[in-house]
C-alpha cells in the first residue's frame, strides 16, 4: 500500500486489486471518503504488480489517477 497527494491536495491510498476477469489494477481510494478509482497494470502476477507499483513515482501516480476510471 502507498499513499500520495493529488493535484488538488487530496490524499489517496493505493493498493493492488484484481478485476473479475483477472486483470491486475491499481485501486485508488480517497482517504477523506469518496469513490474509488482504478488503473490497469501491465503486470500478470501480484509479484510483478508490486514491482510495478513500487517503481511509480508520486508524479506517475498522479498521472495514473487522472487517467483512471471509477471502480464499479
Amino acid at each position: 500500500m502507498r499513499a500520495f497527494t493529488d493535484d488538488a491536495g487530496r490524499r489517496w491510498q493505493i493498493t493492488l486489486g484484481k478485476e473479475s476477469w483477472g486483470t491486475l489494477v491499481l485501486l485508488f481510494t480517497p482517504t477523506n471518503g469518496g469513490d474509488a478509482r482504478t488503473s490497469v497494470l501491465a503486470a500478470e502476477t501480484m509479484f510483478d504488480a508490486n514491482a510495478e507499483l513500487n517503481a511509480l513515482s508520486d508524479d506517475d501516480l498522479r498521472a495514473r489517477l487522472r487517467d483512471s476510471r471509477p471502480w464499479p
Side-chain angles (χ1 to χ4, degrees):
M1 181 181 299
R2 283 187 51 191
F4 76 105
T5 303
D6 70 12
D7 297 325
R10 292 174 296 208
R11 294 286 297 161
W12 293 80
Q13 290 184 334
I14 304 97
T15 58
L16 299 174
K18 188 181 279 191
E19 299 279 353
S20 61
W21 55 88
T23 300
L24 296 170
V25 296
L26 295 174
L27 179 60
F28 294 89
T29 307
T31 60
N32 301 9
D35 295 330
R37 303 188 63 83
T38 64
S39 177
V40 174
L41 292 168
E44 294 185 15
T45 67
M46 279 297 211
F47 180 82
D48 291 339
N50 272 312
E52 192 172 340
L53 173 57
N54 289 336
L56 294 171
S57 69
D58 285 358
D59 285 335
D60 294 331
L61 290 172
R62 282 187 277 278
R64 296 290 294 257
L65 177 61
R66 284 190 297 270
D67 293 335
S68 67
R69 61 188 165 105
W71 180 256

